């Protein structure tokens, strides 16, 4: 943060900031990107990075591993989008009517964000974890084997 402030101040001073420091992590990420894995022409690879693989997960990977990683990326990306939407909705004050448990705790009394984890009863948290586990193992996959593309979870419902 201090570097950003100094750089912003130097922009008005007319002085040039020093050249960026090349860290080992930065150099390793660039080296990992430059490694040829045979998937440089895959959907999503674009200039200037090409196929971005900073951890080298696709080094010596076959098509099956590439498809599995893309499948997991799509599924978790969709889960993250739903989580952000849920956070936006609850922060805006939109809540379900009624009670979250039999003791009378209302949905409106549950705070938004991570603070909700301490306010929701433990049994409710375990129910959510179990539900997500069932979705992960039984629903959010190509059950029928008729997927048209990686991440196609329609399972003949659309």
């Amino acid at each position: 943060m201090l570097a950003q402030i100094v750089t912003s101040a130097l922009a008005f001073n007319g002085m040039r900031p020093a050249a960026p420091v090349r860290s080992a992590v930065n150099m390793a990420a660039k080296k990992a990107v430059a490694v040829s894995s045979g998937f440089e022409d895959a959907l999503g690879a674009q200039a200037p990075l090409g196929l971005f693989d900073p951890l080298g997960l696709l080094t010596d990977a076959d098509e099956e591993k590439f498809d599995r990683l893309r499948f997991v990326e799509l599924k978790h990306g969709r889960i993250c989008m739903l989580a952000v939407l849920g956070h936006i909705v609850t922060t805006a004050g939109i809540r379900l009517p009624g009670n979250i448990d039999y003791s009378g705790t209302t949905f409106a009394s549950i705070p938004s964000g991570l603070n909700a984890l301490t306010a929701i009863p433990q049994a409710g948290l375990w129910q959510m974890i179990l539900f997500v586990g069932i979705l992960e193992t039984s629903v959010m996959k190509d059950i029928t084997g008729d997927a048209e593309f990686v991440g196609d979870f329609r399972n003949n419902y659309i």
Side-chain angles (χ1 to χ4, degrees), residues 95-148:
R95 306 295 169 91
L96 293 172
N99 298 330
I100 193 169
D101 61 8
Y102 292 120
S103 65
T105 306
T106 62
F107 283 103
S109 67
I110 304 293
S112 62
L114 294 176
N115 293 332
L117 295 176
T118 59
I120 295 175
Q122 289 294 318
L125 285 175
W126 284 111
Q127 288 173 4
M128 288 189 290
I129 291 169
L130 179 66
F131 179 68
V132 170
I134 290 170
L135 288 177
E136 179 80 18
T137 59
S138 303
V139 178
M140 297 294 291
K141 62 182 183 176
D142 180 23
I143 296 170
T144 62
D146 298 331
E148 295 179 23

Side-chain angles (χ1 to χ4, degrees), residues 47 59 77 80:
T59 305
C80 291

Side-chain angles (χ1 to χ4, degrees), residues 2-23:
L2 180 62
Q4 290 176 340
I5 294 170
V6 171
T7 305
S8 299
L10 289 177
F12 295 103
N13 192 4
M15 295 177 58
R16 281 186 110 161
V21 177
R22 295 179 179 236
S23 68

